[in-house]
Amino acid sequence: MSAQPPLLLALDLIGTFVFGLNGALTAVRATRLDVVGVVTLGMMTALGGGVIRDVLIGAVPPATFQLWYYFALALGGGLIAFALSRKLHRLEMPITVLDAVGLSVFAVMGAGKAVEYGLGVGPAVLLGVITAVGGGTIRDLMIGQVPTVLRSELYAIPALVAATLTVAAMGIGIYGLSAALVAASACFVIRMVGVHFNLNAPEPPGSRDQRR
């Protein structure tokens, strides 16, 4: 895969760190895990989606195991969440914002890498979404929860939009830093609008009545 522009690489690294932080913090809130469990779940959140993508497209060993700084950032995020778990609730909104940045960049980078490895439109879009939400899905399953991406909030939909825009831009030959930032920005805006207005994806008709 071609080298990432410095700005996208920086955002990718920030996303890895924040996903590690957010994933470990979610584990702290939901379970009684020790430091090994908390940090492990943080790292899975940060790295899991990218590993799944790389294995599926045959880019092995996955980039996570070749570039030490991804591993180190995920580990650092998990350790900080464990050490400062009592205080991190005060930073919930900044963490949510940075998590949206990570979601946006991972969706773009995941879809772009899939296209560069020769996948078609549908599979490339799907792998972009998997890159963005796969780690969090693994975390939720390991702590015995229905994955957040399947039950609430606008999370997968923004990633789907970013991945689709990325694949479309590459298909018509205009993909570059500007196009990548536009796709990531679209994901970020949709995600944050969903957070601000507490929006969720549509539910099956009558599902709310059944919960009453």
Side-chain angles (χ1 to χ4, degrees):
M1 186 178 181
S2 57
Q4 299 180 27
L7 178 58
L8 283 183
L9 175 60
L11 292 174
D12 197 20
L13 296 177
I14 291 171
T16 300
F17 173 77
V18 176
F19 268 22
L21 183 69
N22 203 24
L25 183 58
T26 300
V28 168
R29 291 172 173 171
T31 63
R32 295 182 177 179
L33 298 177
D34 61 14
V35 61
V36 175
V38 170
V39 172
T40 297
L41 287 180
M43 295 181 69
M44 286 185 174
T45 305
L47 306 174
V51 170
I52 294 172
R53 175 205 62 214
D54 287 352
V55 169
L56 289 176
I57 65 177
V60 291
T64 295
F65 303 119
Q66 299 184 59
L67 304 173
W68 64 269
Y69 40 82
Y70 283 102
F71 188 90
L73 286 168
L75 175 63
L79 288 172
I80 290 174
F82 180 83
L84 303 178
S85 58
R86 293 183 178 179
K87 300 179 180 179
L88 284 177
H89 68 279
R90 302 173 186 173
L91 301 174
E92 186 167 347
M93 181 50 68
I95 291 174
T96 299
V97 171
L98 290 175
D99 181 76
V101 172
L103 178 78
S104 305
V105 176
F106 280 16
V108 171
M109 303 308 298
K113 188 169 185 177
V115 171
E116 291 194 6
Y117 272 77
L119 271 68
V121 172
V125 170
L126 177 61
L127 282 180
V129 176
I130 288 174
T131 304
V133 307
T137 300
I138 294 172
R139 175 204 63 213
D140 289 345
L141 291 174
M142 292 194 69
I143 60 178
Q145 294 183 354
V146 176
T148 301
V149 69
L150 298 180
R151 58 182 168 84
S152 65
E153 303 182 1
L154 292 181
Y155 207 76
I157 291 175
L160 178 64
V161 170
T164 301
L165 291 175
T166 299
V167 173
M170 297 183 80
I172 61 179
I174 63 170
Y175 183 75
L177 178 59
S178 297
L181 291 177
V182 168
S185 297
C187 177
F188 178 82
V189 169
I190 296 171
R191 170 63 180 148
M192 293 311 301
V193 167
V195 170
H196 181 74
F197 292 103
N198 193 29
L199 300 177
N200 296 313
E203 297 181 0
S207 60
R208 292 188 179 182
D209 296 334
Q210 294 174 9
R211 292 198 296 265
R212 294 176 181 175

